[in-house]
Amino acid sequence: MVRNKSCLFLVYKALDACLQEQLRLKAQVRLLEQQTKLQQIKIENLLREKELQFMDRGDEMIVINLGDIRSYADCGDIYNDGHKQSGFYRIKPLQSNTSFYAFCDMSDGGGWTVFQRRSDGSQSFYRNWTEYKQGFGDFATARGEFWLGNDNLHYLTLQDDYTLRIDLQDFEEQKRTAEYKSFRVAGEESCYQISCGAYSGTAGDSLTGGFNPEVQWWANHNGMKFSTWDRDNDNYEENCAEEDKGGWWYNRCHSANLNGFYYKGPYTSKTDDGIVWYTWHGWWYSLKYVAMKLRSANFEPNVV
């Protein structure tokens, strides 16, 4: 009988020890859960801080001065000279009398010279002939809006065979691209007439009307002269630039209007005057972001 009491005492003692250990482990689990939650909060705060820092980069000044040691004909030259950071660099096309700052996009293989960018509506693109001739906008910040200038665009495309790439983004953060071979812009004496070759990409061919042969008589911008509200060179009885609020290679009037008014997505207006790429979102949706850029078809990046 004494032996049984002793055994029961040992059993109860063991059970009590197990219970205490269980309680200790539960407390430890709760402590770990609290620490994990605190860590998650710290991580979320760090990620939010990083996101804000990234967003703030849109206002950074990114003018890169390489000095006057040598002259660069375009951004491909700059890339192959070892400069891989995107930003504004000074370039001087071979037949141009002056140098100027252009945004060099060193992504997508590098060496892209950007001549147009729309990002937030901060710049008006409803400008006159002289402003489009000389260029206008923000040539200093990371997402600044600008037009490089028709004279500069002419001298750039005069010196080589260039590929045009157009990057498009909507307000649902979807992206599309359109590329055209043999892109060229004539001089002012020819009213900056545009010419381009075969299309490829994911946005559809709104620039040369390749989406439907029956509409090319009004939708094909290839071969068109540049028009502004004060210099009407389109094929329309009225003034497309005036109606559609931009300077562009209008026909009768457009299936692409990338210098139109900056609305935010779907819009209503008397005319289809938004930032339009017809083959992606039709006439009544204005895009969030556009960048038009060019690179030599003979560009071969130096491999370091």
Side-chain angles (χ1 to χ4, degrees), residues 143-272:
R143 291 180 64 84
E145 297 192 323
F146 60 83
W147 181 262
L148 189 59
N150 287 338
D151 276 350
N152 295 334
L153 191 51
H154 165 60
Y155 285 120
L156 272 167
T157 60
L158 184 64
Q159 64 189 350
D160 205 346
D161 178 21
Y162 279 91
T163 297
L164 167 66
R165 178 184 169 109
I166 304 173
D167 293 335
L168 307 167
Q169 182 178 334
D170 64 17
F171 282 89
E172 290 68 49
E173 309 306 323
Q174 298 297 310
K175 297 179 180 180
R176 298 287 189 275
T177 62
E179 287 194 10
Y180 295 88
K181 293 182 178 179
S182 302
F183 175 72
R184 179 166 290 192
V185 173
E188 187 174 19
E189 69 282 358
S190 298
C191 299
Y192 305 114
Q193 185 179 31
I194 187 179
S195 62
C196 55
Y199 158 82
S200 62
T202 58
D205 179 12
S206 287
L207 192 61
T208 66
F211 59 94
N212 186 343
E214 294 181 2
V215 303
Q216 289 200 352
W217 65 277
W218 62 263
N220 186 5
H221 298 273
N222 193 15
M224 293 307 303
K225 297 175 181 179
F226 201 83
S227 289
T228 56
W229 63 264
D230 61 337
R231 192 78 66 89
D232 183 5
N233 295 309
D234 59 49
N235 289 334
Y236 183 48
E237 294 81 1
E238 305 297 330
N239 187 333
C240 290
E242 188 175 4
E243 286 193 5
D244 294 327
K245 304 297 186 292
W248 192 248
W249 297 279
Y250 291 110
N251 190 336
R252 296 178 56 91
C253 280
H254 69 79
S255 56
N257 190 40
L258 300 184
N259 288 339
F261 189 82
Y262 194 95
Y263 297 99
K264 294 185 177 180
Y267 69 98
T268 56
S269 178
K270 290 182 180 179
T271 63
D272 45 349

Side-chain angles (χ1 to χ4, degrees), residues 33-290:
E33 286 175 344
Q34 289 175 351
Q35 289 176 342
T36 300
K37 286 180 180 178
L38 287 172
Q39 289 295 325
Q40 286 177 338
I41 291 169
K42 285 181 180 179
I43 290 169
E44 287 173 2
N45 287 336
L46 284 170
L47 288 172
R48 193 174 295 112
E49 188 177 323
K50 275 283 186 186
E51 184 178 357
L52 289 172
Q53 287 176 356
F54 180 78
M55 290 170 66
D56 288 343
R57 287 179 61 191
D59 294 328
E60 282 185 0
M61 303 289 285
I62 49 170
V63 178
I64 301 168
N65 187 357
L66 300 180
D68 298 321
I69 297 174
R70 59 161 293 187
S71 179
Y72 298 96
D74 61 15
C75 294
D77 272 0
I78 292 173
Y79 185 90
N80 277 338
D81 199 36
H83 307 286
K84 305 299 192 288
Q85 179 185 352
S86 294
F88 287 96
Y89 295 82
R90 186 170 288 279
I91 63 174
K92 184 179 181 297
L94 298 178
Q95 298 189 45
S96 175
N97 293 323
T98 59
S99 62
F100 50 88
Y101 277 101
F103 188 83
C104 294
D105 183 353
M106 301 311 189
S107 65
D108 298 317
W112 293 99
T113 304
V114 182
F115 65 87
Q116 183 256 31
R117 185 164 59 197
R118 311 295 304 276
S119 60
D120 56 14
S122 58
Q123 297 287 328
S124 170
F125 277 66
Y126 189 39
R127 307 273 187 143
N128 64 29
W129 184 266
T130 301
E131 289 173 296
Y132 269 101
K133 168 187 167 74
Q134 297 173 348
F136 57 84
D138 179 356
F139 293 94
T141 54
R143 291 180 64 84
E145 297 192 323
F146 60 83
W147 181 262
L148 189 59
N150 287 338
D151 276 350
N152 295 334
L153 191 51
H154 165 60
Y155 285 120
L156 272 167
T157 60
L158 184 64
Q159 64 189 350
D160 205 346
D161 178 21
Y162 279 91
T163 297
L164 167 66
R165 178 184 169 109
I166 304 173
D167 293 335
L168 307 167
Q169 182 178 334
D170 64 17
F171 282 89
E172 290 68 49
E173 309 306 323
Q174 298 297 310
K175 297 179 180 180
R176 298 287 189 275
T177 62
E179 287 194 10
Y180 295 88
K181 293 182 178 179
S182 302
F183 175 72
R184 179 166 290 192
V185 173
E188 187 174 19
E189 69 282 358
S190 298
C191 299
Y192 305 114
Q193 185 179 31
I194 187 179
S195 62
C196 55
Y199 158 82
S200 62
T202 58
D205 179 12
S206 287
L207 192 61
T208 66
F211 59 94
N212 186 343
E214 294 181 2
V215 303
Q216 289 200 352
W217 65 277
W218 62 263
N220 186 5
H221 298 273
N222 193 15
M224 293 307 303
K225 297 175 181 179
F226 201 83
S227 289
T228 56
W229 63 264
D230 61 337
R231 192 78 66 89
D232 183 5
N233 295 309
D234 59 49
N235 289 334
Y236 183 48
E237 294 81 1
E238 305 297 330
N239 187 333
C240 290
E242 188 175 4
E243 286 193 5
D244 294 327
K245 304 297 186 292
W248 192 248
W249 297 279
Y250 291 110
N251 190 336
R252 296 178 56 91
C253 280
H254 69 79
S255 56
N257 190 40
L258 300 184
N259 288 339
F261 189 82
Y262 194 95
Y263 297 99
K264 294 185 177 180
Y267 69 98
T268 56
S269 178
K270 290 182 180 179
T271 63
D272 45 349
D273 59 355
I275 302 173
V276 169
W277 192 261
Y278 174 77
T279 50
W280 186 18
H281 274 298
W283 282 301
W284 303 105
Y285 187 103
S286 187
L287 297 170
K288 178 181 181 180
Y289 178 88
V290 177

